[in-house]
Amino acid sequence: MSVTNTTVTSLNEQLNSLGIRGYLQQHQDKGLLRVLTCGSVDDGKSTLIGRLLHDSQQLYDDQLDALKRDHKGRNSDGELELAMLVDGLQAEREQGITIDVAYRYFSTTERKFILADTPGHEQYTRNMATGASTSDVAILLIDARYGVQTQTRRHSFICSLLGIKHLIVAVNKMDIVGYNEATYNAIKQDVQALMSQLQVPTVDVVPMSALKGENILTLSANMPWYTGTALLPLLETLPIPQYGGAATRFPVQYVNRPDLNFRGFAGTLVSGRLAVGQAVTAYPSGKKSTIKQIVNFEGEQPSATAGQAITITLNDEIDISRGDWLVPSTDSVNLTNRALAYLVWFNDQPLEPGRLYDLKLATRKSSVSINRLNHKVNINTLAQEAAEQVAMNDIALVELELTETLPLDTFKNQPGTGNFILIDRLSNATVAAGLIQNVLAEEKPVAADISVFEQELNALIRKHFPHWGARDVRELFKGKP
């Protein structure tokens, strides 16, 4: 199989043949695929992205010249160090590793791509999860010499948690193992067993050499036993998934009041569709109204669809603030203060059950505590294990208890509003990313209401003075009239 000439047409050739207006129009009409590269340390993620950019002729002359002039721009064999096209931080260049997520943009004649290069080191799992959260498809790299590793399993599990339904497993460095078919088949068998456990619906296993450029644009003569598709043609033909969920969700980001005659609610329509005249309900208040106007940067519009940034005005003066949701009145929304969620823990300090954290969900910030650790996931076996502590890079199922009743969605049904982050209230550091798995019944507050300050003070005393024997103040008042 080969790639058509148009696939590898350079930027300059496209501009010369189409003109700037024609190129921009063609670019605007193309589909966009967000691609993640992940896997263990030194599997060749940055090199693969550099090779894709280089071989598809999507590099400018000054980028190549800068790479050639850099004393670290070539390896011991005299070949270009294509990974340096992606690694932008000085520490990354010095150490030869990826630390932060690097995004690169390119296009072929078929579609546009955003490539996210994520770190393989365990300590940077949070960066990998960040890149995966906005990706449509993941390229999971495996070093042909070592096969499936712990980070391979961890990254696969995170991808499946985040709803990525198509994984391309790139068995890299096939040149080092002599293009051995038996090596590829053994790894493929392990990969299929892993993906079956994770219930990933679609998996392609592609043998390649990112350094040599084999099975990237065209099939390699060194691997005639592989009868699948090369990587770039595969990426060009994958269906682009539609995210956001079937229901309509409009979280209000900003209340726009430029003068006395205009009061609009600005934000991005996460999913679904809204139209002028449609009946909507504001959550969590439950107040109802109808849409008077939908405005974007082009002016008034009759309707809006998922992904559009809009401002909405209503026919009634109802109290709506940042973080509230506008939802069609025909849709149902779960209002509760409890949920089950998977957490990927990012922080050096372990999770403290009972301690209050800030929860950022859509455009709302609230307070939440983790009252129960259901289980952790053993990354090597994917088995569920009893959890007494959640440490850095652990993945655990926990029970959340919010300090207020809010609209909540499960990630499976509404990915756009079913994910959140946890923030430490003292350091303001992001300590975890979470996905809501199940919405639980609301737990009504007891009559002896406890202030947020009292709960925080109680949590600090229990943490720093355990010898005092202080009990959780919320447990003391549970069930009391």
Side-chain angles (χ1 to χ4, degrees), residues 46 49-50 53 82-89 92 102-104 117:
S46 300
I49 290 183
L53 295 172
L82 297 174
M84 293 182 65
L85 293 169
V86 184
D87 292 336
L89 298 178
E92 293 178 327
Y103 295 95
R104 290 294 179 268
D117 180 31

Side-chain angles (χ1 to χ4, degrees), residues 36 38-39 138-142 152 155-156 167-171 195:
L36 169 80
C38 57
I139 302 175
L140 178 68
L141 274 89
I142 293 178
T152 311
H155 287 187
S156 300
L167 261 68
I168 299 173
V169 179
V171 183
M195 298 307 165

Side-chain angles (χ1 to χ4, degrees), residues 403-424:
T403 57
E404 56 184 329
T405 300
L406 296 178
L408 297 179
D409 285 325
T410 62
F411 182 81
K412 181 180 179 180
N413 295 330
Q414 292 292 127
T417 49
N419 66 88
F420 61 89
I421 60 172
L422 294 183
I423 301 168
D424 187 278

Side-chain angles (χ1 to χ4, degrees), residues 432-444:
L435 306 173
I436 297 175
Q437 300 299 300
N438 193 16
V439 177
L440 303 177
E442 181 179 8
E443 188 174 90
K444 297 293 184 182

Side-chain angles (χ1 to χ4, degrees), residues 108-218:
T108 67
T109 54
E110 300 299 321
R111 66 174 39 152
K112 298 177 290 186
F113 299 92
I114 299 178
L115 303 175
D117 180 31
T118 62
H121 285 69
E122 183 177 349
Q123 71 187 92
Y124 303 124
T125 298
R126 59 188 179 276
N127 302 58
M128 179 269 163
T130 299
S133 65
T134 57
S135 297
D136 301 321
V137 61
I139 302 175
L140 178 68
L141 274 89
I142 293 178
D143 192 320
R145 297 171 295 174
Y146 308 126
V148 174
Q149 302 291 299
T150 298
Q151 276 298 81
T152 311
R153 296 178 181 276
R154 178 178 281 108
H155 287 187
S156 300
F157 187 78
I158 291 173
C159 287
S160 67
L161 267 184
L162 289 167
I164 297 178
K165 301 186 183 306
H166 196 133
L167 261 68
I168 299 173
V169 179
V171 183
N172 194 26
K173 304 186 182 182
M174 288 297 298
D175 53 310
I176 299 179
V177 297
Y179 307 104
N180 187 280
E181 182 181 3
T183 300
Y184 164 77
N185 286 334
I187 294 174
K188 182 177 180 180
Q189 187 174 356
D190 291 342
V191 165
Q192 289 174 336
L194 173 62
M195 298 307 165
S196 177
Q197 274 186 288
L198 295 174
Q199 299 181 339
V200 177
T202 310
V203 182
D204 291 288
V205 185
V206 183
M208 65 176 60
S209 170
L211 184 65
K212 305 289 185 182
E214 295 178 294
N215 278 352
I216 305 297
L217 266 65
T218 58

Side-chain angles (χ1 to χ4, degrees), residues 34 72 76 97 153 159 170 192 238 258 265 368 447 464 468 473 481:
R34 293 176 169 84
K72 293 185 178 180
S76 57
I97 64 172
R153 296 178 181 276
C159 287
Q192 289 174 336
L238 290 180
F265 309 104
V368 67
H464 295 290
W468 289 5
V473 68

